[in-house]
Amino acid sequence: MVKDQGQTRSELLPGTLEMLVLKTLMRGPMHGYGIAQYVGQTSDEVLQIEEGSLYPALQRLLLKGWVTAEWRQTPNNRRARYYQLTPLGRKQLVVEAANYNRIIEAIARVMQSA
Amino acid sequence: MSKFLQLFNRLLFLLRRKQLESELEEEMRFHLDMKVQEKIEAGLSPEDARHLALRAFGNITLAKEDSRTMWGFRYWEILWQDLRFGARMLLKKPGFTLAAVVTLALGIGANTSIFSIVNSVLLRPLPYEDPDRIVMVWMDNRKLKIDQDIHSYANYADYRAQNQVFSEMTAISQRSFNLTGEGEPERVMGAAATSSFFSVMRVTPVVGRAFTLDEDQRGRDKVAILNYGLWQRRFGSDPQIVGKSIQLNGISRTVIGVMPAGFTFPGKETNVWVPLAPDPQLMSNRSGFWLTVVGRLKPGVTLEQARAEMGAIAKRLESQYPDINASYGVNLVPLHEQVVGTIRPALLLLLGAVGLVLLIACANVANLLLVRAAAREREIAIRAAHGASRSRIIRQLFTESMLLAMLGGGLGVFVALWGLGVLKSFSPSDIPRLDQIAIDKRVLVFTLAVSCLTALVFGLVPAIQASKPNMNEILKEGGRGGSAGVRAARARHLLVISEIAMALVLLIGAGLLIKSFSRLQEVNWGFKPDHLLTARLQLPRSKYADAQQVRNFYEQLLQRLNAMPGVQSAGAVSDIFLSKTPNSTNFSIEGQPQKIGAESIEVPYDSISPNYFEVMGTPVVKGRPFNDRDVEGSPLVVIINQTFAREFLPGEDPLGKKLKYDSLDGPAPWFTIVGVVADTRRTGFDSEVRPETYIPHAQEPSAGMTLVLRTKTDPAGLTAALGNEVLSVDKDQPVYDIRTMDQLLVEKIAQRRFSALLLGLFALLALLLAAVGIYGVMAYSVAQRTHEIGIRMALGAQKRDLLGMIVRQGMILTAVGISLGLVVAFALTRVMSELLYEVSATDIQTFIIIPLILAGVALLANYIPARQAAKVDPMVALRYE
């Protein structure tokens, strides 16, 4: 893996961002920056989200009622907006994860067939 | 579900728009700051760090823009656009808008005001705990055909002991008391009730305590509980009231409590409660009926179960005590039913009527919209050609309809406020809970719902019609009526037909009510109701213990009243006017076999002053009235009415015959019939005339009497003087229920007047709307056919022919509408038969005259546009384009 930034950043499949956010929030309430950090780090920086695009996605999740938001103090005493999964969001994550697996398997089958 | 959540969140977002913006701003700033810090910690210079952070973040403005889209402002933007456009379109045609909004406001306003009455009278629960478990337990007196009669104590005790369906039962006797002591003597309504009253009604005093079980015993019952209003008014809300004593009918009682505000059961004006505590002799008495019985159903017991079990007990009592209880059943009426039962059919009828009025209004507005849609065909076609989807166009048109409906609804609330004020001023006082009528939240929700529904009814069809234009044709045709023309015309005709049909149904209903109301005005009461003042007196037993005292009091009082200036003559009768349950007892006639048990018959008996019939203006048709020689010690005499003579002494001369009343104590004396009086409708216009008997007050004194004064001047002016005369005979004796006879009679028919007047009003409104509807459709059709009319005229058609042609077209619609309406009315008026008085629900006269009136109005509405058409100048018409 070449880690030259900006060149080999992998594009996300459409709709995957929301799933990643939901999955990240399974670990507990987190702010936008923290979510971006976590996704970047756990994917070994392969999945570099364009961090700005995180915010419209979060608004959508709020609208659908899958997450709730709350202003809290960070450990460094700064005010940040923490997002938290709702029960509805948990259910949605299960659905999306299942979908995702189906697609990945399908793609894998196609790729192996050649 | 999630759709709703989203809509709700959208609304929330809209309301918090400013906050959302600033929060997003802050959270992005936080993100960038953290990122910069992270890079600095990794050893970069602040500038480089900032640069990299921004690059990683991407396009900030776009992120904000996308977020805004997520908040759904776009959704509201479209709505706002539609609303603005709709408002512009409405403003462009102020005539159309005004006509539509006013029509809707009238319809919605009428519905709102009637619903607010229905809401507070029928829908709002009674102010008791679990009010639907409280049931009135009446005696069904098949002998006198009174289905809500009162009980004897012995029967009450048996019902209470033997049933398993009521958790508790109470016996109540409505009383009135002379409240004396500090201040003016006052007549207060009250009730004597067993201590179980409080567990049946589930009410506890706000001050002090309820009756205890041992206060049900005679001797320990000298206590009283006050109504909140009386406590406030007469005792200045004295917090130390408990323990003080008051004088009721000359007996001293200790106040032990005050009921919560607004609690007045069983009467509207019950001001004082005392323990029932009958003496042992009365407790074992089965034939004296004096108790109103109320019960609270056990949890889980249905009304039907209760009816079955109580009915079985009644049967048992009938066979156990055949000489007394034969043909006495039991009749259970839920309290709510009892309170609103008489007014419910009238109110539901009115609600149905205003519903029809609103439908007619909708039909009119739909017609207006169809006409307008035709005029806007090109506009809509152009929008469609520019790529507007069909749903987008329907949405736009529907937004306009919604806007109209909301304007109409908003104005309608004001119409309703005004209407309610008017309604209250002439509505009968015996509508229960009238004072509580108001436009509350539930009414407003109703209005909103009705407005939305209205928009659906009048807006949807025109919107769908207009949204599927045949674009090619319209755009090609260059202006004149497009392809939708024929379809739209058919829709308009259908609307007119249904309008006429609905208006006819309303008119016939109103006609029937008005006819029965005019029948009521012609009721022959059997006495002269004008210039009569009536008032009620009740002498307390504590002060007037023996018959002689009672006799003396009334003799003295009547002497004074007869000498009063402005009074022609004054008399008295023991019964209360227009009371449905007169004092009555079993009787037998000399020479006829005595009838006992189920065979026995009751007649009302009344003590009267000798001049009573003269005062009332009731003719004595046979024999003589009572005179001053019919006193104590002289032979006992009785006067009967014509119905009595007809039923019990058919074909005989009643004069000289003797009858006796079955009394409990000792052998009953014989009364000789000395006169026969004309029948009167003393118990009200809607009950049949029953046999009646009258005895002289001097021979059979009664402590409670109704005074009747025939006056030379306006009887209402003598009210105060009458009170003073009573006080001058006994300064502690209040007189109450002072009313003119006209007032009493008006109150009796006020409910009917109310519904007749309102239904008449609604029917008139319907007629007007329908006439406007016909006129509108015909005028439009004439305007559209100007070209055709011109050609016909150019080809030699006469004005008369044209007039006939157009009027015929309109009258065909009218005839179809009327036939349809007649069928519906014939089926529907049956439901209002119980509201009619001596008029059949399918009264031929009404079913002929009303359609003729409607046809006449329709003819007029047709004729005006037709004449316009006939006046068309063929040259102008042919050039018209």
Side-chain angles (χ1 to χ4, degrees):
Chain A
M1 288 273 161
V2 189
K3 284 191 184 179
D4 192 345
Q5 292 193 355
Q7 292 294 313
T8 50
R9 267 205 299 184
S10 297
E11 292 276 320
L12 284 179
L13 285 167
T16 340
L17 179 57
E18 284 178 17
M19 181 180 72
L20 293 179
V21 171
L22 289 176
K23 179 74 187 171
T24 309
L25 288 178
M26 277 295 277
R27 305 176 70 236
M30 184 46 68
H31 44 65
Y33 171 72
I35 296 171
Q37 287 288 98
Y38 178 80
V39 173
Q41 280 168 14
T42 23
S43 69
D44 285 336
E45 307 293 329
V46 175
L47 299 177
Q48 290 270 350
I49 316 171
E50 188 171 81
E51 292 169 17
S53 68
L54 192 59
Y55 289 91
L58 281 168
Q59 301 306 324
R60 212 169 98 83
L61 296 180
L62 274 175
L63 177 71
K64 299 225 167 187
W66 295 341
V67 301
T68 55
E70 188 188 9
W71 288 93
R72 279 196 225 160
Q73 298 292 328
T74 66
N76 308 339
N77 263 340
R78 285 206 52 176
R79 216 166 84 93
R81 201 178 196 201
Y82 280 78
Y83 293 86
Q84 183 164 15
L85 265 189
T86 63
L88 213 61
R90 268 170 222 281
K91 265 190 224 154
Q92 186 59 28
L93 178 57
V94 174
V95 173
E96 300 219 340
N99 259 340
Y100 165 79
N101 283 331
R102 243 191 22 243
I103 288 171
I104 291 300
E105 280 166 22
I107 292 175
R109 273 200 301 277
V110 173
M111 294 307 284
Q112 285 160 3
S113 69
Chain B
M1 174 59 215
S2 68
K3 279 270 178 226
F4 272 115
L5 185 70
Q6 276 188 45
L7 186 68
F8 179 74
N9 282 341
R10 279 216 165 101
L11 264 170
L12 223 63
F13 284 0
L14 185 69
L15 294 175
R16 296 170 31 209
R17 183 175 192 151
K18 278 245 160 59
Q19 196 194 343
L20 284 173
E21 296 272 5
S22 75
E23 279 183 346
L24 185 68
E25 181 87 41
E26 183 178 347
E27 129 177 271
M28 286 180 168
R29 203 167 48 235
F30 167 79
H31 189 124
L32 282 173
D33 286 355
M34 295 300 284
K35 196 87 187 172
V36 170
Q37 209 175 331
E38 174 198 319
K39 300 284 176 200
I40 290 177
E41 274 163 18
L44 284 166
S45 73
E47 279 99 278
D48 289 349
R50 183 143 200 88
H51 182 71
L52 277 178
L54 280 174
R55 227 176 98 177
F57 199 84
N59 188 336
I60 297 180
T61 320
L62 188 65
K64 281 187 185 167
E65 201 49 55
D66 287 349
S67 301
R68 270 185 220 119
T69 312
M70 288 305 163
W71 293 336
F73 291 152
R74 180 85 191 118
Y75 178 88
W76 304 104
E77 266 163 24
I78 290 177
L79 183 67
W80 178 235
Q81 249 177 26
D82 281 357
L83 276 177
R84 260 192 344 211
F85 183 75
R88 258 207 320 275
M89 292 307 284
L90 295 183
L91 281 177
K92 236 170 149 182
K93 296 267 180 203
F96 157 80
T97 308
L98 194 70
V101 169
V102 168
T103 306
L104 290 173
L106 285 176
I108 296 175
N111 273 275
T112 301
S113 41
I114 295 300
F115 178 76
S116 64
I117 298 182
V118 169
N119 176 37
S120 37
V121 176
L122 299 186
L123 299 184
R124 228 183 273 160
L126 295 168
Y128 310 117
E129 203 186 313
D130 283 340
D132 47 333
R133 308 300 296 166
I134 307 177
V135 177
M136 305 291 296
V137 181
W138 295 107
M139 178 168 98
D140 180 16
N141 185 339
R142 297 193 295 271
K143 214 182 279 178
L144 274 188
K145 294 191 189 110
I146 299 173
D147 64 349
Q148 296 189 358
D149 210 344
I150 45 188
H151 294 272
S152 64
Y153 194 93
N155 279 350
Y156 155 71
D158 285 343
Y159 279 123
R160 183 166 179 232
Q162 294 176 25
N163 87 79
Q164 301 293 325
V165 288
F166 289 107
S167 61
E168 190 50 281
M169 277 171 88
T170 179
I172 307 165
S173 166
Q174 295 212 45
R175 301 249 173 102
S176 52
F177 298 105
N178 295 347
L179 175 58
T180 51
E182 299 162 50
E184 292 257 305
E186 187 180 347
R187 190 73 191 171
V188 294
M189 295 298 142
T194 57
S195 59
S196 50
F197 178 78
F198 299 89
S199 39
V200 170
M201 301 311 294
R202 292 241 177 106
V203 64
T204 40
V206 283
V207 176
R209 60 169 178 88
F211 299 146
T212 57
L213 208 54
D214 59 74
E215 279 160 355
D216 282 342
Q217 291 167 36
R218 202 151 189 97
R220 304 196 188 166
D221 59 335
K222 297 291 174 274
V223 293
I225 293 176
L226 303 180
N227 153 309
Y228 199 86
L230 182 71
W231 177 54
Q232 272 187 322
R233 180 169 56 76
R234 182 145 180 141
F235 301 97
S237 304
D238 178 5
Q240 307 295 319
I241 189 77
V242 172
K244 295 205 168 146
S245 66
I246 57 172
Q247 301 279 317
L248 292 174
N249 284 352
I251 293 168
S252 178
R253 289 175 186 269
T254 309
V255 176
I256 58 163
V258 176
M259 284 300 206
F263 183 88
T264 59
F265 195 81
K268 239 185 188 174
E269 289 160 24
T270 307
N271 272 320
V272 135
W273 292 265
V274 299
L276 186 69
D279 59 40
Q281 195 202 336
L282 207 48
M283 285 174 97
S284 55
N285 182 328
R286 200 169 288 280
S287 59
F289 303 111
W290 59 297
L291 293 171
T292 304
V293 175
V294 189
R296 179 174 283 273
L297 289 176
K298 276 184 187 164
V301 172
T302 66
L303 190 63
E304 280 63 42
Q305 288 166 344
R307 283 202 170 118
E309 178 163 331
M310 294 298 279
I313 299 174
K315 278 250 157 56
R316 214 150 58 218
L317 291 175
E318 265 187 90
S319 53
Q320 216 170 338
Y321 308 99
D323 48 335
I324 296 172
N325 271 356
S327 54
Y328 291 156
V330 68
N331 176 19
L332 268 52
V333 182
L335 182 58
H336 188 259
E337 183 72 31
Q338 186 79 38
V339 175
V340 304
T342 56
I343 188 76
R344 179 186 288 137
L347 280 185
L348 292 184
L349 178 77
L350 287 177
L351 197 62
V354 280
L356 276 187
V357 170
L358 185 58
L359 275 179
I360 296 176
C362 282
N364 265 359
V365 175
N367 254 332
L368 286 173
L369 282 175
L370 279 173
V371 169
R372 242 171 69 84
R376 284 172 69 178
E377 250 178 357
R378 265 175 78 79
E379 172 212 324
I380 290 163
I382 289 171
R383 283 164 139 257
H386 277 91
S389 68
R390 189 159 168 226
S391 70
R392 186 75 186 75
I393 291 175
I394 291 182
R395 189 169 160 185
Q396 161 64 36
L397 291 174
F398 198 62
T399 306
E400 279 180 52
S401 297
M402 214 42 148
L403 205 59
L404 275 179
M406 289 301 141
L407 284 174
L411 199 60
V413 172
F414 289 98
V415 172
L417 276 174
W418 172 80
L420 268 186
V422 177
L423 282 184
K424 274 190 191 172
S425 67
F426 74 83
S427 60
S429 60
D430 59 341
I431 286 192
R433 315 162 81 191
L434 184 73
D435 46 320
Q436 301 163 18
I437 292 174
I439 294 190
D440 61 7
K441 219 188 292 165
R442 180 147 39 155
V443 174
L444 287 178
V445 169
F446 169 84
T447 308
L448 188 67
V450 165
S451 304
C452 292
L453 208 66
T454 307
L456 266 178
V457 170
F458 75 72
L460 209 54
V461 174
I464 290 173
Q465 277 238 347
S467 70
K468 43 179 179 189
N470 188 335
M471 277 190 287
N472 274 337
E473 225 172 296
I474 294 163
L475 294 176
K476 203 168 57 194
E477 231 186 299
R480 198 147 54 77
S483 63
V486 181
R487 251 183 314 143
R490 198 174 305 142
R492 280 197 300 273
H493 292 171
L494 277 178
L495 284 172
V496 165
I497 289 173
S498 50
E499 259 182 89
I500 291 173
M502 288 188 283
L504 184 71
V505 171
L506 272 184
L507 282 167
I508 285 182
L512 290 173
L513 271 195
I514 288 168
K515 185 167 177 183
S516 78
F517 184 68
S518 74
R519 286 271 159 88
L520 268 182
Q521 310 260 283
E522 295 154 10
V523 165
N524 180 11
W525 293 96
F527 55 83
K528 295 198 191 86
D530 59 303
H531 288 89
L532 265 187
L533 187 64
T534 77
R536 187 77 189 157
L537 271 177
Q538 182 75 43
L539 302 180
R541 215 174 302 166
S542 59
K543 196 165 176 183
Y544 296 88
D546 72 79
Q548 193 55 41
Q549 283 173 305
V550 173
R551 210 169 304 166
N552 287 345
F553 173 87
Y554 281 110
E555 249 164 49
Q556 216 180 329
L557 178 63
L558 285 179
Q559 249 170 33
R560 296 188 75 110
L561 293 180
N562 271 301
M564 241 169 83
V567 172
Q568 193 180 323
S569 55
V573 58
S574 55
D575 206 8
I576 299 164
F577 277 104
L578 306 175
S579 129
K580 290 241 184 277
T581 49
N583 279 326
S584 52
T585 180
N586 291 346
F587 76 104
S588 40
I589 296 174
E590 194 181 32
Q592 294 185 3
Q594 191 173 7
K595 292 167 177 163
I596 47 163
E599 295 278 282
S600 71
I601 302 157
E602 284 185 19
V603 285
Y605 60 95
D606 268 305
S607 289
I608 58 170
S609 65
N611 64 346
Y612 172 70
F613 294 120
E614 178 204 325
V615 175
M616 294 298 287
T618 307
V620 176
V621 293
K622 218 175 219 175
R624 64 167 177 91
F626 298 138
N627 56 40
D628 294 341
R629 290 180 301 282
D630 298 319
V631 291
E632 202 196 3
S634 65
L636 296 175
V637 286
V638 62
I639 291 176
I640 58 175
N641 69 350
Q642 287 172 308
T643 302
F644 186 102
R646 213 173 26 248
E647 273 188 30
F648 301 121
L649 297 161
E652 294 179 66
D653 180 9
L655 296 185
K657 293 268 176 340
K658 289 181 177 171
L659 64 87
K660 70 173 176 185
Y661 301 101
D662 298 348
S663 75
L664 289 165
D665 22 330
W670 289 102
F671 287 73
T672 308
I673 299 174
V674 295
V676 180
V677 284
D679 286 336
T680 59
R681 286 184 177 270
R682 250 190 14 185
T683 50
F685 59 85
D686 47 0
S687 46
E688 48 187 313
V689 177
R690 285 201 286 253
E692 279 171 0
T693 65
Y694 298 89
I695 43 191
H697 188 256
Q699 294 180 344
E700 195 63 38
S702 154
M705 294 294 277
T706 303
L707 304 173
V708 285
L709 279 68
R710 172 76 55 191
T711 64
K712 293 174 195 152
T713 53
D714 177 18
L718 292 173
T719 310
L722 171 61
N724 288 334
E725 291 296 334
V726 175
L727 287 182
S728 68
V729 179
D730 180 344
K731 68 167 177 41
D732 287 331
Q733 183 56 47
V735 58
Y736 59 102
D737 276 352
I738 307 183
R739 308 263 181 82
T740 68
M741 184 61 79
D742 284 331
Q743 270 174 326
L744 277 175
L745 298 187
V746 163
E747 278 168 27
K748 274 286 153 183
I749 56 174
Q751 241 183 46
R752 285 161 188 271
R753 189 184 57 175
F754 182 68
S755 30
L757 208 64
L758 274 189
L759 195 59
L761 201 72
F762 295 150
L764 216 62
L765 194 59
L767 182 65
L768 200 75
L769 287 173
V772 168
I774 302 168
Y775 171 81
V777 166
M778 292 318 291
Y780 180 70
S781 132
V782 164
Q784 266 193 328
R785 291 166 67 186
T786 312
H787 192 69
E788 174 207 328
I789 292 167
I791 292 175
R792 281 175 188 269
M793 288 182 102
L795 292 176
Q798 294 297 306
K799 278 186 185 207
R800 205 154 33 100
D801 301 335
L802 283 172
L803 207 65
M805 177 186 86
I806 289 162
V807 168
R808 194 159 45 242
Q809 192 199 356
M811 288 316 279
I812 287 174
L813 295 181
T814 308
V816 175
I818 285 182
S819 334
L820 200 66
L822 275 176
V823 173
V824 177
F826 194 75
L828 275 188
T829 49
R830 274 156 221 280
V831 303
M832 59 186 284
S833 56
E834 63 179 304
L835 295 168
L836 299 176
Y837 179 71
E838 291 191 352
V839 174
S840 140
T842 51
D843 183 63
I844 304 273
Q845 214 183 350
T846 312
F847 271 76
I848 290 173
I849 292 178
I850 299 283
L852 286 179
I853 293 176
L854 182 57
V857 171
L859 188 64
L860 194 71
N862 268 322
Y863 180 73
I864 299 170
R867 216 183 43 176
Q868 296 270 311
K871 270 199 213 142
V872 164
D873 178 348
M875 289 320 287
V876 175
L878 288 174
R879 250 185 265 121
Y880 174 86
E881 204 80 327

